Amino acid sequence: MNKIKVMSETLANKIAAGEVIEKCASIVKELCENSIDAKAKNIIINLKEGGIKEISVQDDGVGMNREDALLSFTRHATSKLYKDDDLFFISSLGFRGEALPSIASVSKTTLKTSDEKEGTKIIIEGGKLKLNEPSDLFHGTKITVQNLFYNTPARLKYLKSEQSELATCVLYIERLSLAYPKISFTLTNDEHEVVKTSGSNNLLKTIHEIYGLKVSQNMIEIKASNDDFDLFGYVCKPEILKSNRNHMITIVNDRVVKNNDLNRAINEAYYTYKPDIKFPVVVLKINTDPTLIDVNIHPTKQDIKIGKINELTDLIIKTIKKALYQNLLILNAYDRSPLSKSIEQENIIKEQEATYNQTILPKENTQTSFSFKENDDEPIIKNAEMKKLVLYPVGLAHGTYIIAENEDGIYLIDQHAAQERVNYERNMKALENKQVFTTALLIPITIELSKSEILKLKQEEQTLKSLGFDIEEFGLNSIIVKAHPTWLLKGYEEESIRKIIDLITNGLKSIDRVKFNEKIAITLACKMSIKANMHISFEAMEELLKELCDCDNPYNCPHGRPTIIKFSNYDLERMFKRVMN
Ligand code: ZN
Ligand code: ZN
């Protein structure tokens, strides 16, 4: 029986707008998705001039018979949809029968395919059939698209430079490789290999093949599930950050998707582990019942709509946070990657494969792997690894960096960043505490303000009260503070009060109490912390190091900067060439 059936007109209309080819990557995407549907194990994408001159995609999938091959160039022919209802149960990739016909209408398209019983070669140019003849037998399908938009010069102008077209294709193939680790992808441009994955069906190995050693050795495995969703994937340690969101890759039911809610959840999980303008490398596979997914918001967009999205984002945030809490994340001073030798790389890959093989078997968590079931409400032990550390101060450099040591190596600690972290967590705990402690002032503090500032404060009167303030209006241009929250740092009370009032008069609103608390906690933490170029005593250093190790996240200041950098004994020996490998 023919695999391709003509879909009904109603369904065709439901699928909005039809196919829009915007760039070379749109064609690469369509052709690769067809190859995946044809159960290919190897997909080879060859580009010329970034795809502008030629795009060819060859696979070793099931191939087509003569009739299907010809039908694949007819509008609304598709092998994946049979009736309207199917639209709601799509779990295979392609669902638009218009792709191939529309590609063929604006280019010279050559199709060679074989189902191992008969081979077919078809050439279509500008939508017109030029050749249809028997061809040799082989395994799979090869489609070559040349002279894209040759007959629509207006659209040709929309293509970007070769470099830019290539970059989009590469990004797409990288993501597709991560969605399908069991398929080997090869992408070349002008005969130079750009992407190659082995199809090992090992996600971490695929991450290595795409991002290299430095990234793959700094990934933490995560696994979790609730009633509706299964999560699996890898999240990077904060040491590895990128300057854009392109490497936060979310894959829902094997489909790479762009979804703002998912991105926001990932970002939130890394809150204070990284600066706001930096983004992690994350590969997250989400599996769920296809009925919860609406893929058809817009056929050319990768966006989807997910039912029970809040349950999903909660699960993501919880799982990533827990993974970060359970791993030692001290930044290593010594960057292994530039000096790494292939033997070392191979060993690490072998190790990773071993870990991978372990993790697919039901087994206890390894140190860099982490999984849990939604329902187990065991309290998380935050940062257990670092809490075990004892750091001994050695001295202070530039009045800024504490030098410390222990049996494992030497550490540099940014004293301002470290204290900021300690104060931030202290402030947050005080602000989240249901019970509010208030300290009455023997001598009330008078603060001068403009009338409009006083009005803004008045609007937040309840909030100020709930924070532990007792404020009285006083005259026209000033207020009088009679009591303040007890948790304000000793010696910094007045400064802190002024800062909080400042924040509110400058527009900080308590509508979102969590964000409001965060802002106050961070701002005061910075104010309360020793500045660089201040020489603190040995005892103060000891105390600070102890407090830092006890933090939930001791590795970053609340703005996401690192607090501590490690030089391990081994790294030092390597740097001083005491050991040579
Ligand atoms: Zn600061
Ligand atoms: Zn900071």
Side-chain angles (χ1 to χ4, degrees):
M1 210 184 111
N2 294 334
K3 280 175 226 81
I4 295 192
K5 289 187 176 177
V6 176
M7 77 171 137
S8 78
E9 209 53 49
T10 31
L11 180 54
N13 292 334
K14 266 190 195 167
I15 299 174
E19 190 50 57
V20 183
I21 306 160
E22 293 165 321
K23 40 190 181 279
C24 296
S26 327
I27 292 174
V28 171
K29 177 174 182 287
E30 289 305 330
L31 300 184
C32 285
E33 288 185 355
N34 286 341
S35 295
I36 291 168
D37 281 342
K39 300 188 174 58
K41 290 197 174 64
N42 294 282
I43 299 177
I44 301 165
I45 305 104
N46 293 317
L47 305 177
K48 285 191 181 145
E49 296 177 12
I52 296 169
K53 197 168 168 206
E54 186 181 305
I55 298 164
S56 100
V57 173
Q58 181 169 6
D59 68 54
D60 57 355
V62 291
M64 289 178 267
N65 63 28
R66 184 83 36 85
E67 202 179 328
D68 278 352
L70 203 56
L71 203 57
S72 70
F73 286 103
T74 345
R75 275 200 100 70
H76 305 318
T78 170
S79 56
K80 296 111 210 166
L81 293 182
Y82 296 95
K83 55 182 188 292
D84 289 11
D85 288 351
D86 288 341
L87 190 59
F88 303 101
F89 295 95
I90 291 165
S91 56
S92 81
L93 286 170
F95 55 94
R96 288 148 285 153
E98 301 94 348
L100 210 45
S102 55
I103 292 169
S105 68
V106 291
S107 68
K108 178 184 176 189
T109 301
T110 307
L111 167 81
K112 270 185 82 175
T113 186
S114 159
D115 63 356
E116 288 177 273
K117 288 188 209 86
E118 55 185 343
T120 308
K121 184 177 180 183
I122 292 173
I123 298 178
I124 294 192
E125 210 170 341
K128 290 190 183 70
L129 185 66
K130 296 280 170 177
L131 181 92
N132 178 11
E133 62 176 30
S135 159
D136 45 329
L137 289 181
F138 65 107
H139 198 64
T141 300
K142 181 179 182 180
I143 297 178
T144 307
V145 177
Q146 290 161 310
N147 307 333
L148 180 62
F149 297 144
Y150 77 101
N151 54 353
T152 50
R155 288 179 81 188
L156 188 60
K157 275 190 272 178
Y158 284 108
L159 289 183
K160 304 225 172 73
S161 70
E162 178 183 338
Q163 277 316 308
S164 158
E165 291 294 330
L166 176 63
T168 324
C169 292
V170 170
L171 197 62
Y172 173 70
I173 292 300
E174 286 178 345
R175 289 179 176 164
L176 203 60
S177 313
L178 294 165
Y180 293 91
K182 63 171 191 251
I183 300 176
S184 159
F185 289 88
T186 307
L187 170 72
T188 71
N189 183 48
D190 297 332
E191 279 155 41
H192 297 288
E193 194 178 280
V194 190
V195 181
K196 175 138 185 89
T197 65
S198 56
S200 60
N201 200 20
N202 175 336
L203 183 56
L204 188 57
K205 191 171 179 182
T206 313
I207 291 172
H208 174 83
E209 287 160 346
I210 286 168
Y211 289 107
L213 181 68
K214 182 147 198 231
V215 170
S216 64
Q217 72 182 4
N218 281 298
M219 297 302 272
I220 307 167
E221 188 190 274
I222 56 162
K223 222 188 255 176
S225 54
N226 65 15
D227 289 345
D228 297 293
F229 301 98
D230 289 320
L231 289 187
F232 169 74
Y234 289 88
V235 298
C236 74
K237 297 180 181 176
E239 190 167 335
I240 307 290
L241 293 172
K242 301 274 181 187
S243 51
N244 60 51
R245 290 181 179 78
N246 281 346
H247 310 282
M248 288 159 53
I249 297 163
T250 45
I251 298 155
V252 177
N253 290 357
D254 292 335
R255 192 185 170 90
V256 179
V257 301
K258 272 188 200 151
N259 181 285
N260 284 337
D261 294 320
L262 298 182
N263 279 351
R264 219 173 293 128
I266 293 169
N267 231 341
E268 198 177 321
Y270 278 85
Y271 185 67
T272 80
Y273 277 88
K274 64 173 189 64
D276 289 342
I277 51 159
K278 293 278 182 183
F279 302 95
V281 178
V282 169
V283 181
L284 205 55
K285 294 197 164 218
I286 300 159
N287 282 316
T288 187
D289 188 326
T291 52
L292 279 182
I293 306 295
D294 183 1
V295 282
N296 212 33
I297 295 180
H298 190 296
T300 62
K301 296 281 177 332
Q302 290 170 295
D303 199 2
I304 58 165
K305 226 171 149 172
I306 303 171
K308 301 198 185 179
I309 183 74
N310 292 337
E311 280 89 334
L312 176 57
T313 52
D314 281 354
L315 185 66
I316 292 173
I317 294 169
K318 230 162 123 183
T319 310
I320 297 180
K321 272 199 166 161
K322 222 164 157 183
L324 292 173
Y325 280 142
Q326 294 194 334
N327 278 273
L328 194 59
L329 304 173
I330 301 180
L331 195 59
N332 267 305
Y334 190 78
D335 185 354
R336 265 162 243 272
S337 52
L339 280 174
S340 59
K341 297 188 179 68
S342 55
I343 299 166
E344 192 191 346
Q345 287 203 12
E346 272 167 32
N347 285 339
I348 282 166
I349 286 290
K350 269 182 208 145
E351 262 171 51
Q352 290 176 340
E353 271 176 57
T355 323
Y356 178 80
N357 289 334
Q358 284 165 14
T359 53
I360 48 177
L361 304 167
K363 209 182 158 281
E364 295 284 293
N365 299 338
T366 62
Q367 200 202 328
T368 52
S369 140
F370 165 71
S371 71
F372 80 108
K373 271 260 166 213
E374 241 265 276
N375 303 349
D376 73 342
D377 262 338
E378 269 174 55
I380 318 167
I381 302 159
K382 293 173 180 172
N383 171 37
E385 291 299 316
M386 184 94 169
K387 278 180 181 144
K388 285 184 234 150
L389 287 191
V390 184
L391 305 177
Y392 304 96
V394 175
L396 188 69
H398 296 288
T400 304
Y401 306 109
I402 299 169
I403 302 160
E405 66 173 344
N406 67 7
E407 52 285 0
D408 297 331
I410 297 173
Y411 302 80
L412 287 181
I413 296 99
D414 181 322
Q415 67 172 7
H416 175 75
Q419 195 155 58
E420 211 175 39
R421 163 54 64 176
V422 171
N423 286 331
Y424 165 73
E425 291 198 5
R426 214 181 54 103
N427 294 350
M428 274 312 279
K429 273 172 197 141
L431 283 162
E432 281 165 358
N433 197 342
K434 296 243 159 17
Q435 206 176 347
V436 180
F437 296 96
T438 300
T439 303
L441 287 162
L442 283 177
I443 308 157
I445 300 167
T446 307
I447 297 174
E448 294 209 336
L449 293 165
S450 74
K451 193 74 204 159
S452 66
E453 286 173 324
I454 289 176
L455 283 172
K456 271 193 189 142
L457 273 191
K458 259 228 156 327
Q459 285 169 13
E460 292 290 346
E461 208 177 350
Q462 273 313 312
T463 316
L464 286 163
K465 211 167 257 166
S466 71
L467 284 171
F469 281 104
D470 181 2
I471 293 178
E472 264 177 28
E473 229 174 312
F474 186 78
L476 270 175
N477 296 311
S478 56
I479 55 161
I480 178 162
V481 181
K482 289 177 131 183
H484 67 72
T486 303
W487 58 269
L488 300 182
L489 194 73
K490 275 210 165 46
Y492 291 84
E493 292 93 340
E494 189 167 338
E495 244 187 297
S496 303
I497 293 168
R498 284 180 194 275
K499 199 71 217 169
I500 294 174
I501 300 220
D502 238 34
L503 284 170
I504 295 173
T505 52
N506 279 315
L508 183 68
K509 291 208 170 63
S510 59
I511 302 166
D512 182 344
R513 194 54 192 255
V514 178
K515 294 235 161 66
F516 179 85
N517 285 349
E518 285 280 358
K519 184 80 190 166
I520 286 177
I522 291 186
T523 312
L524 292 195
C526 187
K527 265 259 165 295
M528 286 150 78
S529 305
I530 8 153
K531 293 285 175 279
N533 279 317
M534 253 181 63
H535 291 264
I536 59 169
S537 70
F538 234 75
E539 290 70 35
M541 285 185 221
E542 260 173 12
E543 177 69 18
L544 177 57
L545 293 178
K546 222 166 97 17
E547 286 175 330
L548 180 68
C549 290
D550 274 338
C551 281
D552 290 344
N553 167 12
Y555 314 106
N556 304 91
C557 87
H559 306 95
R561 286 201 298 114
T563 54
I564 180 166
I565 295 174
K566 179 181 182 178
F567 297 76
S568 75
N569 289 335
Y570 181 62
D571 291 344
L572 288 165
E573 280 167 7
R574 274 165 56 130
M575 281 188 268
F576 285 107
K577 306 280 183 234
R578 286 165 169 264
V579 290
M580 296 302 265
N581 51 25

